[in-house]
Amino acid sequence: MRYGVVTIIGAMLALPAQVQALEWDGVIDLRAAQHRGAQAWPEGGLGKQRFGPDDDGVRLGQGMVLMRGEPLEDLTATLIVSADDARRGVVDVTEAWLQWKPVPTSAWQSRLKAGAFFMPISLEHDGPAWTTTRTLSASAINSWIGEEFRTIGLEWTLAHRGRAIGSPHDLSLTAALFGYNDPAGTLLTWRGWGIGDRITGLSETLPLAPLPVYGPRGILNKQAPVVESFMEIDRRPGYYLSAHYAYQGRINVSVAHYDNRGDPFAVRGGQYAWTTRFRHLGLAFKPAAGWTLLMQAMDGMTLMGRPGARIDYTAHYALLDVPAGVGNLALRHDRFRTREDDLLPQDNNNERGHAWTLSYRRPWLAGWQVQGEWLQVNSTRPAREQIGARARLREQSLTLALRRQF
């Protein structure tokens, strides 16, 4: 973890001592699971899921604590800490930010955030501390956001609140400048898409599979066998722009453009800067009480090095959540693809695949929720053959979780 991120976290940790009233939220998630398929990618494999066959049994799925307070009027400080029993050190900070949101005097309202936080893309993560509520795993798009992205910088939002003038229409525009996300694209290129709920801590490193291209004798041997996602390499700020439109709380449409402006020829500390860009489109629709349809699509490119790696990528999903007895049933279908677009035939990063997710949740005892999920991921990735695995894989998991928000 580099000094800029350390400074942000340290400042946020010092704030609560100056805050008179603190609010606490959190999620605890205990799981029992069975997996069939390849070695999981956090263990150095090229599987698509967070856990693999060696991880069967009872474990901590998620442990998140959100602390919020107001050190000054109109100024809110937020700190989110997560626990992962598969993470070195177990506990890490995932977000830490200050938000200035003055009381509006008209239908227009502005907001400024500074720190480390997620860009406003995911439609699935509407629980506390950026957690999913309808399924245990996230889509391929939002899994990647949780793994390789964090806005470490400034974000400004201008919103027009229709209810303030009796209108059913709401509109907001967001712009951000950030640093410390230069390696974003490393994991997607050399691991490919994933389906899971793993959120990378700000001080955490992620393992890469032992592919020859960045091994000791590989053509890209300056790359370390791990990814430090939140690192500033080229001293060039990135940006994103997004717009959101909502109608009566039933329809929500969003578009976004992201560009980290990475210098693809910069390398430092075993990490390359990647030029990573994407476009995003999201739709949320609530046709009736308790019914929700979510759809997101993303396409973009990422590249590094000379000679180096480049891929074009695309992914989309649709999720339907409906009432079912005393609980809710959610069905999601993902499709994802990467296409090799460089001059390194020994580094084949082509991939295609799709996934089905079926999840049921219902209230249980004393505020607990019980949730079951079946997930199947089918993918073809030729690079797996370089580490002794089959290019084409079908992975399945069955998970039972006990979750509680507090």
Side-chain angles (χ1 to χ4, degrees):
M1 184 175 63
R2 298 305 184 222
Y3 293 115
V5 182
V6 173
T7 302
I8 292 170
I9 296 174
M12 296 301 303
L13 290 172
L15 278 169
Q18 308 169 23
V19 178
Q20 305 252 335
L22 291 175
E23 298 178 5
W24 296 80
D25 287 304
V27 175
I28 186 167
D29 178 334
L30 304 175
R31 299 185 187 177
Q34 185 176 37
H35 302 83
R36 294 176 56 190
Q39 183 183 18
W41 70 264
E43 299 167 357
L46 286 175
K48 292 300 177 191
Q49 299 191 47
R50 174 186 175 189
F51 300 119
D54 295 336
D55 302 307
D56 288 353
V58 179
R59 63 185 309 136
L60 176 66
Q62 285 184 335
M64 313 284 285
V65 175
L66 181 151
M67 183 168 53
R68 182 188 296 113
E70 293 186 2
L72 298 171
E73 185 177 358
D74 298 333
L75 185 67
T76 303
T78 301
L79 177 69
I80 300 176
V81 178
S82 73
D84 184 339
D85 60 6
R87 174 192 291 154
R88 180 182 299 177
V90 181
V91 177
D92 204 342
V93 174
T94 56
E95 296 182 81
W97 77 84
L98 292 172
Q99 177 175 275
W100 178 65
K101 190 176 181 180
V103 176
T105 57
S106 69
W108 293 95
Q109 184 174 43
S110 61
R111 181 189 71 196
L112 183 66
K113 293 176 72 173
F117 46 88
F118 286 102
M119 67 186 81
I121 283 182
S122 178
L123 300 177
E124 300 175 283
H125 291 83
D126 52 359
W130 210 75
T131 54
T132 57
T133 58
R134 299 169 186 86
T135 57
L136 297 175
S137 62
S139 63
I141 289 174
N142 295 317
S143 294
W144 185 40
I145 295 297
E147 293 160 355
E148 281 209 279
F149 291 88
R150 215 62 42 90
T151 302
I152 301 178
L154 298 172
E155 180 189 87
W156 175 71
T157 299
L158 179 64
H160 186 269
R161 303 167 303 122
R163 61 184 179 278
I165 56 173
S167 169
H169 306 282
D170 294 306
L171 177 67
S172 66
L173 303 173
T174 297
L177 285 174
F178 59 87
Y180 298 94
N181 219 173
D182 290 333
T186 312
L187 193 63
L188 183 65
T189 300
W190 285 321
R191 180 214 59 186
W193 294 98
I195 305 285
D197 63 339
R198 196 180 195 285
I199 300 175
T200 304
L202 291 177
S203 68
E204 193 174 4
T205 59
L206 302 176
L208 291 172
L211 295 173
V213 68
Y214 45 76
R217 299 179 181 179
I219 195 169
L220 300 175
N221 57 20
K222 292 182 180 180
Q223 172 67 47
V226 297
V227 184
E228 294 185 41
S229 297
F230 311 121
M231 182 175 176
E232 181 57 42
I233 299 171
D234 58 12
R235 303 185 185 278
R236 291 165 56 171
Y239 74 94
Y240 59 79
L241 304 170
S242 66
H244 295 74
Y245 166 77
Y247 177 75
Q248 289 186 339
R250 295 181 58 195
I251 299 176
N252 189 311
V253 180
S254 60
V255 294
H257 174 79
Y258 173 97
D259 186 348
N260 73 349
R261 299 183 65 248
D263 178 357
F265 308 127
V267 58
R268 183 163 66 92
Q271 304 295 314
Y272 285 89
W274 293 67
T275 302
T276 299
R277 306 185 188 111
F278 64 73
R279 297 170 295 181
H280 169 267
L281 174 64
L283 170 67
F285 177 46
K286 297 181 179 180
W291 288 63
T292 303
L293 174 65
L294 304 180
M295 293 188 291
Q296 290 182 249
M298 173 187 286
D299 75 291
M301 59 76 65
T302 186
L303 67 92
M304 55 74 71
R306 183 169 54 187
R310 171 177 171 145
I311 60 168
D312 298 321
Y313 56 86
T314 182
H316 61 269
Y317 79 88
L319 183 152
L320 181 64
D321 186 71
V322 300
V326 296
N328 275 68
L329 185 69
L331 176 65
R332 184 183 66 221
H333 186 234
D334 283 82
R335 285 199 172 273
F336 51 85
R337 185 173 183 177
T338 63
R339 184 174 62 85
E340 179 85 12
D341 193 18
D342 59 39
L343 300 176
L344 295 177
Q346 67 271 46
D347 181 34
N348 188 339
N349 295 308
N350 289 310
E351 175 180 275
R352 66 180 186 275
H354 66 96
W356 287 97
T357 307
L358 182 65
S359 185
Y360 179 76
R361 67 192 186 279
R362 56 160 294 172
W364 198 47
L365 302 175
W368 287 84
Q369 174 180 282
V370 61
Q371 187 164 359
E373 179 172 289
W374 171 80
L375 171 62
Q376 178 174 287
V377 187
N378 300 282
S379 62
T380 301
R381 186 172 185 85
R384 291 188 180 122
E385 296 177 343
Q386 299 181 30
I387 60 170
R390 293 176 298 168
R392 186 173 183 178
L393 288 177
R394 171 176 292 182
E395 303 169 74
Q396 292 185 353
S397 63
L398 186 61
T399 306
L400 180 65
L402 289 177
R403 308 184 90 181
R404 181 181 174 89
Q405 296 184 10
F406 56 88

